[in-house]
Amino acid sequence: TKMINIKYKIEFFNEWHCGSGLSAGADVDALVIKDKNNLPYIPGKTIKGLVRQALEEIAEYIDKLDLMKDINVNFGVERQSSTEKENLTDIQSRGTIFFTNATLTTELSSSIIASETQEHLYRSIASTAINENGVAKKNSLRKIQTTIPCELHGDIFGLNKSLEQDIRVALAFIKRLGVSRNRGLGRCKFTIEKIEEVKA
């Protein structure tokens, strides 16, 4: 079977929030995920999940059972064991595909680190829940940290060539990323920059 590696970029058109699960105490309720140099990135597993979800929606929409099988082979399967006798390979498989973290380019990262301007990549936005009378609900004010619009780059390694066309469609299908997508955050576009065939 032929395998391919894909280089892609994500262009954000507005602010976005990929959560770290951490807060800054009383200041900000939800911080964005950052690397050791305080630069934004998106974990490979987050992108893998989004791409898988897009592929599954496409497979369901066009009723392609063979695509569902390809998804499971490439992306892996996680099932709960129904009996104690099942061995681990029956319960889960990791799949063949690997997603790197999506990051800023090396040149841009180096420039930001050298000029120590990381703080300008982020800002806090406040939101609150409104009740049926149009009044803010008590204790509902939340501040979340967002990342300014930027371009991130990532790789997909070890993809079965038979999925190439479906992956192209799936990447084009993803229009938003991160939390608060229903509030307009995280509008984005995935673009494939390079596809190379590799020997399996």
Side-chain angles (χ1 to χ4, degrees):
T1 55
K2 287 184 176 167
M3 308 295 269
I4 55 171
N5 296 337
I6 295 175
K7 282 191 176 302
Y8 66 87
K9 76 173 174 185
I10 309 169
E11 282 174 274
F12 282 98
F13 301 118
N14 61 353
E15 292 181 32
W16 54 283
H17 176 97
C18 190
S20 65
L22 303 172
S23 77
D27 187 32
V28 177
D29 298 299
L31 294 174
V32 299
I33 196 162
K34 302 175 188 103
D35 69 13
K36 65 183 190 309
N37 293 308
N38 212 23
L39 297 172
Y41 74 97
I42 301 169
K45 67 179 186 179
T46 300
I47 296 163
K48 184 178 182 180
L50 271 177
V51 173
R52 182 182 189 133
Q53 185 183 3
L55 279 170
E56 286 174 350
E57 285 180 27
I58 292 162
E60 205 175 299
Y61 183 69
I62 57 178
D63 205 18
K64 275 179 82 171
L65 279 175
D66 56 332
L67 177 53
M68 283 307 291
K69 282 185 198 142
D70 278 349
I71 292 168
N72 288 337
V73 168
N74 281 267
F75 285 78
V77 183
E78 275 192 41
R79 287 193 302 273
Q80 291 304 310
S81 174
S82 54
T83 66
E84 290 296 315
K85 285 182 277 187
E86 282 180 301
N87 65 27
L88 196 63
T89 52
D90 293 331
I91 302 162
Q92 61 185 43
S93 71
R94 288 192 163 207
T96 57
I97 196 170
F98 178 76
F99 284 72
T100 65
N101 294 339
T103 59
L104 298 169
T105 63
T106 308
E107 300 78 36
L108 182 55
S109 296
S110 301
S111 168
I112 292 168
I113 292 164
S115 59
E116 297 182 358
T117 51
Q118 289 96 320
E119 71 202 58
H120 300 296
L121 297 170
Y122 311 105
R123 69 184 202 105
S124 293
I125 59 169
S127 66
T128 189
I130 304 295
N131 69 18
E132 58 279 359
N133 300 322
V135 178
K137 288 183 184 173
K138 196 171 173 158
N139 300 326
S140 71
L141 179 66
R142 281 177 53 81
K143 276 173 104 179
I144 73 164
Q145 188 176 55
T146 57
T147 307
I148 63 169
C150 59
E151 270 183 21
L152 300 178
H153 300 261
D155 293 278
I156 307 169
F157 293 118
L159 181 70
N160 200 308
K161 185 155 173 57
S162 64
L163 262 185
E164 181 181 339
Q165 196 48 44
D166 295 305
I167 283 281
R168 285 179 181 276
V169 174
L171 291 175
F173 195 72
I174 300 167
K175 301 289 185 204
R176 293 184 185 279
L177 196 157
V179 302
S180 292
R181 289 175 286 196
N182 59 338
R183 300 229 170 123
L185 289 185
R187 276 192 323 108
C188 64
K189 177 184 175 187
F190 279 71
T191 306
I192 292 175
E193 296 185 295
K194 188 178 175 189
I195 295 183
E196 56 181 14
E197 278 195 27
V198 288
K199 288 193 176 82

